[in-house]
Amino acid sequence: MLLYNFVKTLQFNDVPQQTQDLIKTSLLDIIGVLAGAKNNQTSINICNYAAEHYSALNLSCRLLFDGRKVNPMGAAWAGGFSADSLDAHEGHFTSKGHAGATVIPALLAIADACRDQGRDISGEEFLSAVTIAYETGLRAGVALMDTAAEYHASGAFSGLGVVCGGARLLGLDEETLMHALGIAEYFGPRCPMMRLVDFPSMLRDAHGAGAYAGVNALLMAQAGITGAPAETVESQKIAHCWDDLGQRWEIDAQYFKPWPVCRWAQPSLTAVTAMMAEHPTIAPLNIESIRVETFHESMRLQGHFPANADEAQYGLAFPLAALISRGQVGPNEVTGDAIEAEDILQISRLITITEAQDLSARFPEEILSRVTIQLKEGTCLTSPITQAKGDPETPMTQTEFRAKFRLLANVNFDAQRISDIIQAVDNLDVASDCHELFNQLMNI
């Protein structure tokens, strides 16, 4: 079968260079998100939950940036939730979701469990598994979007990527892989995403649930539990999603976020960043009003006065106000005391958000906004229709990625540890094992 052959034989070093670079960038990006989220309330709560309810027995791995030993299913819950709690991870247009915040924490848990049992995994082998997980997870997402009537959270499909990447690390045969895929899809969380947009909570995009579903399915299939066929993999009506597996790379269509807020808010932040660079007169004390015109889904974000970090990151007005007030949007602007910061709220009160029919008509193929800022001295400035920074057509540079990583990670780690993590990821494809990376990620 094409899928099993892909899982069994793919070698990271044989993947096109552009895609190799994207995989390593994606890995570093998710690690940066996890580093920035280490001490937020969601991460603290979910790590305590995993430590209390998923004790390490036959299988043992460590919680990320925590060090406590748990079962891999608990580590998957915790890692996915933590990565989801700081909304800065990459995403993908045609699946309308994200893979990395599910597959990276889950594969780290599986690989650390292998290490605990005395089996080293080379850096190249781990990157091969990551590549498999991303590519299959995103394709499962496209298949789900093609067949499901409702817009579901990313955890609804990304667990299948965990199964495929985990099957590579665990050396599963084809029959066991197919049962694991069936289990992961059957037990997968079909979460109504727009409900979360309307009522933000720690549940976010269900990455913790997807990571758990994938690891659980692998372990169940290994134990001889059979699974119904995975429709998003085996159904003939979605064959077009899989026919060119290994020839065309779905991950090449990923976008990346400069800021830890909802994807739909990013075009507005991109527009205002450019406006502030061009017009130094845009300053907090000189603004009379701000009008954001955007597509319907983005308009629904609103979020002028968030009650918590979840509402701040699933809002549009508050992070835009933070950008104008403080010149940046990192963890310190959308978590903790910032939620009640008067300098941000003062700007947020000046923002109105309306739907623009021309921009709604171009969604989801294009995610666009335009912003008008009225200054107190009479000048009225309007941005062009703006696409978010970080799209494949508007890529971030490696310098920008490293700056983002440091912005996220430096709220919890010093410069030396940040540099050590970056170096470990940079060198992973030539590392004989993952010890250096894991030493950085699995300790407090």
Side-chain angles (χ1 to χ4, degrees):
M1 181 183 179
L2 174 64
L3 176 59
Y4 181 70
N5 186 62
F6 180 77
V7 169
K8 184 75 172 178
T9 65
L10 178 89
Q11 297 297 321
F12 180 73
N13 291 329
D14 293 335
V15 172
Q17 187 63 52
Q18 175 190 358
T19 305
Q20 289 185 40
D21 294 342
L22 274 171
I23 289 291
K24 293 178 71 175
T25 296
S26 298
L27 174 60
L28 183 66
D29 199 59
I30 294 297
I31 292 171
V33 174
L34 289 161
K38 174 183 181 294
N39 287 323
N40 69 30
Q41 197 59 56
T42 299
S43 294
I44 292 169
N45 290 355
I46 197 66
C47 284
N48 288 339
Y49 164 82
E52 182 174 352
H53 295 288
Y54 287 89
S55 299
L57 296 172
N58 293 334
L59 293 176
S60 174
C61 63
R62 294 164 288 178
L63 290 171
L64 293 166
F65 296 124
D66 180 294
R68 284 178 287 180
K69 291 186 175 183
V70 297
N71 181 280
M73 290 186 290
W77 265 125
F81 253 89
S82 185
D84 214 359
S85 70
L86 188 61
D87 202 359
H89 40 79
E90 29 63 8
H92 180 255
F93 288 113
T94 48
S95 67
K96 291 179 71 175
H98 320 263
T102 297
V103 303
I104 296 299
L107 294 184
L108 286 170
I110 293 168
D112 197 42
C114 291
R115 177 211 56 80
D116 186 69
Q117 293 188 326
R119 182 166 75 87
D120 285 336
I121 293 171
S122 71
E124 197 273 342
E125 180 70 357
F126 184 72
L127 287 169
S128 297
V130 170
T131 306
I132 291 164
Y134 262 107
E135 190 64 22
T136 56
L138 292 175
R139 286 172 182 264
V142 175
L144 181 62
M145 288 303 300
D146 280 359
T147 55
E150 192 171 25
Y151 173 26
H152 294 97
S154 298
F157 62 80
S158 52
L160 276 70
V162 173
V163 167
C164 291
R168 172 58 173 268
L169 294 177
L170 298 173
L172 300 191
D173 59 35
E174 183 172 2
E175 182 179 6
T176 307
L177 167 64
M178 301 313 295
H179 283 306
L181 286 169
I183 295 168
E185 185 189 80
Y186 193 76
F187 288 154
R190 295 291 182 96
C191 309
M193 190 65 210
M194 291 310 298
R195 185 187 306 171
L196 195 284
V197 171
D198 291 336
F199 303 99
S201 74
M202 291 181 182
L203 301 180
R204 298 292 184 100
D205 208 15
H207 288 291
Y212 171 85
V215 174
N216 177 62
L218 287 164
L219 299 180
M220 291 186 77
Q222 280 190 308
I225 305 299
T226 59
E231 186 177 56
T232 51
V233 176
E234 298 192 59
S235 173
Q236 187 58 41
K237 63 185 175 183
I238 51 81
H240 62 281
C241 298
W242 299 95
D243 284 346
D244 58 356
L245 183 65
Q247 302 170 34
R248 178 184 61 83
W249 297 92
E250 198 69 54
I251 192 175
D252 290 350
Q254 282 204 142
Y255 61 78
F256 293 87
K257 295 180 182 179
W259 304 283
V261 299
C262 179
R263 173 68 185 149
W264 297 340
Q266 304 270 331
S268 299
L269 272 68
T270 302
V272 171
T273 297
M275 295 172 77
M276 292 172 69
E278 185 177 353
H279 304 283
T281 52
I282 299 176
L285 295 179
N286 194 30
I287 295 174
E288 184 164 311
S289 65
I290 302 164
R291 182 172 184 240
V292 176
E293 297 174 275
T294 189
F295 53 99
H296 175 77
E297 286 79 359
S298 177
M299 180 273 297
R300 284 173 65 174
L301 294 173
Q302 295 293 321
H304 290 75
F305 311 110
N308 50 53
D310 301 294
E311 291 185 9
Q313 293 171 53
Y314 269 93
L316 196 167
F318 188 85
L320 183 60
L323 176 66
I324 294 170
S325 176
R326 300 190 175 183
Q328 67 177 35
V329 182
N332 287 338
E333 283 69 49
V334 291
T335 62
D337 294 341
I339 306 304
E340 299 177 355
E342 185 56 32
D343 62 318
I344 300 176
L345 294 173
Q346 183 177 357
I347 301 298
S348 190
R349 294 185 185 100
L350 305 178
I351 298 173
T352 59
I353 304 170
T354 62
E355 179 179 358
Q357 293 298 329
D358 60 327
L359 304 185
S360 289
R362 296 166 69 173
F363 178 83
E365 288 76 16
E366 297 177 277
I367 298 179
L368 306 166
S369 298
R370 57 177 165 252
V371 180
T372 298
I373 300 177
Q374 177 68 51
L375 300 180
K376 291 179 178 178
E377 39 83 352
T379 304
C380 184
L381 304 167
T382 299
S383 75
I385 294 174
T386 302
Q387 184 176 6
K389 179 71 172 177
D391 287 357
E393 298 80 15
T394 56
M396 295 170 64
T397 65
Q398 282 302 311
T399 299
E400 290 170 327
F401 276 118
R402 302 303 165 97
K404 174 189 171 182
F405 184 88
R406 289 184 169 88
L407 175 67
L408 299 181
N410 69 15
V411 300
N412 291 311
F413 299 114
D414 61 26
Q416 184 59 58
R417 187 162 183 186
I418 290 171
S419 294
D420 289 344
I421 293 172
I422 292 173
Q423 184 176 5
V425 174
D426 284 345
N427 296 335
L428 191 58
D429 54 332
V430 295
S432 59
D433 57 52
C434 297
H435 287 181
E436 180 56 35
L437 179 63
F438 279 32
N439 286 341
Q440 295 298 332
L441 301 188
M442 304 298 179
N443 296 311
I444 295 177

